Structure formats: C-alpha cells, structure tokens
C-alpha cells in the first residue's frame, strides 16, 4: 500500500468528489459516479484506501472550514502531562489545551470528529457498493468487506475513546433529513466494534505482499480485539486474545527502541498498524496535503513534524517545536534508560536537522525551548535525511506507528494483572520491554503494587505517542496527574458544538460542557 498505491491510487473515489490518478485509468471527474466507479478490484482498492486516508487526515492542516494546525497532536499529546505548549512558539489553542481549557467550540474536537466519521463513511461506502453489480470474486468480497470493517471498527474505537458515547454509524443514510445520528451507548459501541474486528480477523490475510504493505491484517484485527477488551475491562476476553498474538503472532520487539520511529525502518517486525505517509514524488505542499480541501485533489503524502532548521531564528523551527517535553516526563526515566535519548533533546545533546543541502548537526541550545527541552522522537539523526523531507521543507514522510508489539505486550501484562492472571507472565512482558531499554536488572517484586509498575512502564515506553491521555482517562487517574486542575468531565471530550447544533437535538452534549 505504501507508497504509490495508498497515496496515489487511494483517494480516487467516491461519489464524484475526487479527481483520479492515471494509474487507475478511470474516467474524468465530470463522468465519474458511484454507478460507474465500483466495478473492479482496482476500483474497490482505491475506495478502501480513501478510508485509510482519513487516518492521515487526523493530522491535517487544510480543511478550510476549520483551519487545522496538527489538531490531533494537541488532543493526544499536548493535553497530557508529558508535553507542554511552549509559550515561545505555540498557538493559543495549544496553550489553552495544555491548561485543560476544553471547549466544545474549539477546532481540535471538530477536526477529529470530522475525520473519524469521514473514515467511517468511506468504509461504509465500500460495504454498500459491494452489494451492487461488479467484477469482484467471492474472495475479493471477503477480503474487502473484512478490511472495511477493520477500518470502521478502528474509527469507532477512536471516537469512543475521545467522546464516550458517539454515534454508531453502521450504514449510510441517504435522506437529506436523516443524516443526524443519536448518541450510542458504550455497550452498543463495544458490541459493534468487536463484531467488526472479529469479521476482520476472519476475513483478512495474515500478511500482504510487498505491493500492499501497510494494509490491515488478520493479526492486526486480533490485536485490536485484545486492546478493545482491555478498554472494556473484559479480562476473560482480553487475556486469550492478547496471549494469542504474543505467543503465535508474527511480531517481535525491534532490537533498538529507536528503530520504531526511523524513516528507514518503517513497517518493521514490531509494527502492528501504522499510518502510511508518502514521499517527495508526490506534491510537497503540506497545506493541501489532505483530501478535504477544495483545491484540485492532492494525495495525502506527509505530515508536519518539523521544518528545516531556521538559521536566522534558531532551531527548531515550527511544527513540533511548538511543543516541548515536560520536566516531569524527563524525571520519570530511570538512570540508564536508553529510551530517553530517543524521545527528547536536552542540554549537552547534538541536535540534528535538515536543510536543502542535507543533514546538519549542531550542539543543542536549550534556549530554543522555554523549558530547555525539545521533542526528538521521529525527529532525530535517522530522520533528518533527504528522503524524509519535501523539497520545500513543509512535510516529512515518516510513518506514524499507531499500534506496535511493545504496546501489545504491555496490554497483555495489564490484562493479566487486572484480570487475576499469571503474574509471572505479566512480569516477563514488562521485563522484555525494560531489557530493550537497557534496564536489565530484575524487576522488584510486583506483589505489592503491580498495576502502578505497569502504568509507569507504559508511560515511558509510549512517551509522546498518541496514548497517554486515553490511559489517564480510562484509568481514572486524572486527579492524581493534574491535581486541582482536574475535573471529571475531562474523561471525555466535548462533542463539537457545530455537530450538536447540526443534529437538531438528536446528539446530546457530554455532561459539563
């Protein structure tokens, strides 16, 4: 799927919205309709890739009605105790979210909601049009239906984590007055999500050929069945699902922690599911990189983790330089933990960047950040290379690792600890993670407080990845982390006020917003 297929073929869809790649040899936009498009396997592949693209769009920058600026990073990272909005460089919304000022009218919630339900809609289009007259074989239909259900479940799961009781969109509503959907119960959402992932596990291949790298697999679906059941706190279901992946799946921990975030080690043996980005062969204008802009369609191809070093104003320039790791996160690492050097820059480090002439290195200057710290994960020495940057410096192309085996092992440990399973197996999962981090001394006995040990290890292993906030809320530890600033309403985000208004009273706002 990476890179030409998902990024060039991928979004040529759907009901006449997009223009299409020569690679698919489709009719011009003005003659493309649902009736003429959904015929061949290539057509349906293009349609399913469009749903994947909505995952990329969570980091979008160009929906004109919203004017996003990396909104999902704000909702999953800046809001946590691991990252602070740098007052020297960040925008006001970032600073407000960092201070737990959460408002239904703010852009980040509308941006995330829009992209999640766009992805669900696109998956449903595949399922709906599969029933029409087409050239698909029975095997094609099995695989594509399973893939569409994987994506529909993935998007619904993210919506559940963010909003608590969002709508369940399991079919396409065609009537102009029937578009609004009510809140779903969490029980109904979990049932729908797990049913879709079960169908995906049954119908998807265990692996794809090299031309389709990055597409969801049966093992990815089984992994998500385990993860969703951890969120549901159904330990009877979670433990065997996760044990199956750990014991029988194709995954392994990469020898070096940083391999999980390097441009040249994408889609590696630890990767279960990652967001696929493109490369310099595609358009390099980040501001129209997503497919929700009125300009002629541009394939999604990159994300804005960092720009070139700005020699006139100091480094790092823009993007994740807006946000800095907190001292609290830095202090949470034990001495000798090798992960720390991959996650943040601090005084004494060599700083790596890229300009038009190639990689540049210079001593890190702690004045570049208000607290003397700068994010490094995805932006270190192995990522400041030519292939990972658009010629104009606006985008880089390193994949976002969304679910990896390191996290899965910690989910398995959590399920065993909280579900009364074998504590020795749980300890081994955590120790495997610590061994790779250079913390090879045997863990202290966990009998007294094993859950705290697990929570701490999960924070460090997944630092600055999009998980910490959702761990805080599902564990119910907001008041411990944020003290008097915490309010229990923050356990779910507000539904966008625009969606509440648009629903005509059908969608109810979360309490307290």
């Amino acid at each position: 799927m990476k890179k030409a297929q998902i990024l060039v073929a991928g979004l040529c869809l759907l009901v006449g919205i997009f223009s299409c790649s020569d690679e698919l040899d489709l009719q011009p936009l003005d003659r493309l309709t649902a009736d003429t498009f959904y015929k061949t396997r290539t057509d349906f592949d293009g349609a399913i890739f469009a749903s994947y693209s909505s995952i990329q769009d969570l980091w979008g920058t160009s929906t004109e009605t919203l004017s996003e600026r990396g909104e999902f990073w704000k909702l999953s990272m800046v809001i946590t105790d691991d990252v602070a909005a740098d007052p020297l460089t960040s925008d006001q919304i970032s600073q407000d979210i960092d201070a737990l000022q959460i408002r239904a009218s703010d852009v980040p919630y509308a941006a995330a909601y829009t992209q999640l339900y766009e992805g669900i809609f696109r998956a449903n289009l595949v399922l709906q049009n599969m029933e029409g007259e087409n050239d698909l074989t029975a095997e094609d239909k099995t695989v594509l239906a399973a893939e569409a259900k994987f994506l529909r479940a993935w998007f619904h799961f993210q919506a559940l984590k963010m909003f608590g009781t969002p709508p369940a969109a399991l079919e396409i509503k065609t009537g102009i007055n029937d578009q609004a959907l009510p809140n779903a119960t969490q029980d109904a959402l979990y049932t729908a999500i797990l049913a879709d992932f079960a169908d995906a596990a049954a119908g998807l291949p265990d692996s794809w050929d090299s031309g389709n790298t990055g597409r969801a697999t049966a093992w990815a679906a089984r992994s998500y069945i385990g993860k969703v059941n951890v969120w549901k706190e159904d330990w009877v279901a979670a433990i065997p699902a996760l044990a199956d992946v750990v014991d029988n799946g194709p995954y392994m921990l990469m020898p070096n922690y940083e391999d999980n975030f390097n441009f040249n080690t994408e889609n590696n043996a630890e990767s279960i599911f990652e967001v696929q980005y493109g490369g310099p062969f595609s358009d390099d204008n980040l501001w129209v990189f997503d497919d929700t802009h009125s300009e002629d369609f541009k394939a999604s191809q990159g994300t804005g983790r960092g720009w070139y070093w700005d020699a006139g104003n100091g480094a790092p320039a823009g993007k994740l330089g807006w946000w800095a790791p907190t001292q609290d996160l830095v202090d949470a690492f034990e001495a000798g933990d090798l992960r720390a050097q991959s996650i943040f820059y601090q005084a004494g480090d060599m700083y790596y960047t890229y300009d038009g002439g190639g990689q540049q290195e210079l001593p890190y200057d702690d004045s570049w950040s208000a607290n003397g710290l700068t994010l490094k994960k995805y932006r270190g020495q192995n990522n400041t290379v030519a292939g990972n940057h658009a010629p104009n410096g606006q985008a880089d192309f390193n994949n976002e690792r969304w679910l990896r085996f390191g996290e899965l092992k910690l989910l398995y440990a959590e399920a065993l600890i909280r579900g009364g399973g074998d504590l020795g197996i749980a300890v081994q999962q955590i120790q495997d993670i610590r061994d790779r981090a250079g913390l090879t001394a045997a863990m202290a006995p966990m009998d007294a407080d094993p859950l705290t040990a697990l929570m701490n290890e999960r924070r460090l292993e997944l630092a600055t990845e999009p998980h910490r906030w959702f761990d805080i809320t599902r564990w119910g530890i907001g008041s411990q982390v944020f003290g008097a600033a915490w309010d229990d309403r923050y356990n779910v985000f507000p539904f966008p006020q625009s969606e509440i208004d648009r629903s005509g009273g059908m969608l109810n706002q979360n309490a307290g917003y």
Side-chain angles (χ1 to χ4, degrees):
M1 181 169 64
K2 168 149 180 143
K3 302 197 180 193
Q5 283 186 294
I6 189 172
L7 302 172
V8 179
L11 308 176
C12 287
L13 146 128
L14 284 176
V15 291
I17 298 176
F18 306 129
S19 62
C20 290
S21 164
D22 291 338
E23 183 175 326
L24 290 185
D25 193 25
L26 300 177
Q27 298 181 49
L29 181 62
D30 61 355
R31 295 198 297 276
L32 180 62
T33 67
D35 289 338
T36 60
F37 180 81
Y38 292 96
K39 297 301 180 186
T40 68
R41 174 60 189 264
T42 301
D43 293 346
F44 278 91
D45 279 341
I48 201 75
F49 294 164
S51 187
Y52 283 102
S53 180
S54 294
I55 304 175
Q56 299 167 323
D57 287 350
L58 283 172
W59 289 271
T61 61
S62 68
T63 303
E64 291 164 305
T65 56
L66 296 175
S67 187
E68 295 111 313
R69 297 293 186 271
E71 307 306 324
F72 188 72
W73 275 313
K74 300 172 189 176
L75 297 183
S76 63
M77 193 168 68
V78 179
I79 197 170
T80 73
D81 54 334
D82 288 353
V83 175
D86 192 323
L88 298 177
T89 57
S90 63
D91 61 19
Q92 188 60 53
I93 289 291
S94 293
Q95 294 179 53
D96 287 350
I97 286 177
D98 189 30
L100 295 182
Q101 296 182 31
I102 300 175
R103 298 176 290 255
S105 59
D106 285 347
V107 167
Y109 314 102
Y113 192 94
T114 297
Q115 304 304 351
L116 293 175
Y117 280 92
E118 176 190 79
I120 292 169
F121 172 74
R122 291 172 173 181
N124 281 334
L125 275 173
V126 172
L127 292 166
Q128 174 181 283
N129 284 285
M130 202 175 294
E131 303 305 315
E133 184 177 337
N134 54 60
D135 300 333
L136 298 178
T137 66
E139 181 181 3
D140 289 337
K141 290 182 178 181
T142 296
V143 171
L144 288 166
E147 193 170 16
K149 288 183 177 181
F150 176 96
L151 289 164
R152 185 170 69 180
W154 188 92
F155 286 112
H156 274 123
F157 183 42
Q158 310 315 314
L160 181 152
K161 292 191 299 179
M162 292 184 197
F163 301 105
T165 58
L170 301 176
E171 60 181 352
I172 293 175
K173 301 288 188 180
T174 56
I176 192 65
N177 297 318
D178 299 326
Q179 298 303 303
L181 294 173
N183 306 72
T185 66
Q186 286 210 344
D187 285 345
L189 284 164
Y190 276 121
T191 297
I193 290 166
L194 288 167
D196 274 354
F197 276 135
D199 287 348
L204 284 169
D206 285 348
S207 63
W208 293 85
D209 61 35
S210 60
N212 289 282
T213 299
R215 297 178 77 162
T217 66
W219 283 112
R222 295 181 190 117
S223 299
Y224 269 105
I225 289 170
K227 180 167 183 174
V228 171
N229 277 304
V230 169
W231 252 251
K232 190 183 177 187
E233 300 187 350
D234 184 346
W235 312 118
V236 172
I239 290 171
L242 293 166
D244 180 38
V245 180
V246 170
D247 295 338
N248 304 311
Y251 309 111
M252 59 172 279
L253 296 179
M254 294 296 288
N256 299 310
Y257 177 74
E258 193 167 341
D259 287 342
N260 291 295
F261 315 106
N262 289 343
F263 176 67
N264 292 321
T265 50
E266 296 172 324
N267 298 305
N268 60 44
E270 189 166 337
S271 177
I272 297 174
F273 190 61
E274 65 186 69
V275 184
Q276 307 291 310
Y277 288 115
F281 62 85
S282 56
D283 188 278
D284 64 4
N285 186 351
L286 177 65
W287 302 113
V288 291
F289 88 88
D290 61 64
D291 55 293
T292 48
H293 197 277
S294 62
E295 188 172 320
D296 288 343
F297 171 70
K298 307 287 178 65
S300 297
Q301 83 275 357
T303 190
R305 289 197 185 95
W307 284 350
Y308 297 152
W309 174 56
D310 184 344
N313 297 311
K319 297 305 165 195
L320 294 191
W322 295 336
W323 308 315
T326 61
Q327 189 64 49
D328 184 68
L329 173 63
V330 173
D331 292 344
F333 285 89
E334 299 173 45
D337 192 326
L338 300 176
R339 293 172 295 195
Q341 65 192 28
S342 298
I343 295 169
F344 47 81
Y345 285 108
Q346 57 185 331
D349 289 345
M350 187 63 68
Y351 181 84
Y352 295 92
T353 187
Y354 181 83
D355 66 18
Q359 187 179 82
Q360 305 293 323
E361 61 179 74
L362 64 161
Y364 178 72
D365 185 337
D366 59 13
S367 70
W368 293 335
S369 166
N371 67 354
L373 301 165
T374 294
L375 289 171
K376 186 178 182 183
K377 186 177 279 190
Y378 288 108
R379 302 180 73 206
Q381 181 177 8
N382 293 308
N383 290 308
T384 51
V385 293
N388 190 29
H389 295 272
N392 67 2
Q394 292 206 8
D396 65 7
F397 309 114
N398 194 0
N399 290 352
E400 183 81 15
R401 281 60 159 184
W402 193 281
L403 177 60
R404 51 188 180 83
F405 192 53
E407 181 191 359
L408 192 99
K409 286 172 73 67
L410 294 176
L411 289 169
Y412 184 29
E414 180 178 349
L416 291 166
I417 291 167
R418 299 181 70 188
D422 189 318
L423 193 60
I425 296 176
V427 169
Q428 187 59 59
Q429 305 311 306
I430 301 171
Q431 188 62 55
D432 289 347
I433 298 295
R434 290 174 61 82
D435 285 346
R436 180 175 63 179
L439 304 173
T440 55
M443 291 177 60
M446 293 178 61
D447 296 339
D449 195 6
L451 186 57
T452 297
L454 177 282
M455 289 177 170
N456 183 64
E457 203 61 44
R458 187 171 164 87
R459 181 190 185 189
L460 301 179
E461 175 68 16
L462 303 176
T464 73
E465 297 175 55
H467 308 295
R468 174 66 174 167
W469 178 258
F470 305 108
D471 285 344
I472 290 170
T473 56
R474 72 185 177 93
W475 287 333
I477 62 171
S479 60
Q480 298 173 41
V481 173
F482 296 104
W486 181 258
D487 188 302
D488 279 343
R489 73 174 184 269
Y490 301 152
N491 282 316
V492 290
F493 291 139
F495 290 105
Q497 188 59 47
S498 57
E499 295 297 328
I500 298 292
D501 296 343
R502 201 175 286 131
S503 76
M506 187 171 290
L507 182 66
N508 294 316
Q509 183 59 277
N510 285 322
Y513 292 107

